Amino acid sequence: DALCAAVQRCPAELLLVTNEVGDGVVPETAMGRAFRDLQGWANQRLAAVCDEVVLCVCGQPLTVKPCAR
């Protein structure tokens, strides 16, 4: 919540980089699965407050949420 609020308040242009952990093998441990789930939820929350979201796959940028400017 605090990070999302800070992103929304920031007057500067931000570039956030995060990992996508939900497209791979299901982690063997409960802790690994919890990390995967929390990372996914954090990514979704951040994406919701960002103006633009780009996913890079094999070095190719795929616009998931285009900038509305």
Side-chain angles (χ1 to χ4, degrees), residues 2-17 46 49-54 67 69:
L3 179 57
C4 289
V7 166
Q8 289 179 298
R9 284 192 314 268
C10 184
E13 185 171 335
L14 295 175
L15 175 65
L16 305 174
V17 179
L46 280 168
V49 299
C50 288
D51 295 329
E52 182 177 23
V53 177
V54 178
C67 188
R69 291 185 212 165

Side-chain angles (χ1 to χ4, degrees), residues 28-52:
E28 184 175 329
T29 66
M31 184 180 291
R33 291 188 297 276
F35 172 81
R36 177 205 55 198
D37 293 345
L38 289 170
Q39 181 70 55
W41 293 327
N43 286 346
Q44 289 177 45
R45 304 266 318 262
L46 280 168
V49 299
C50 288
D51 295 329
E52 182 177 23

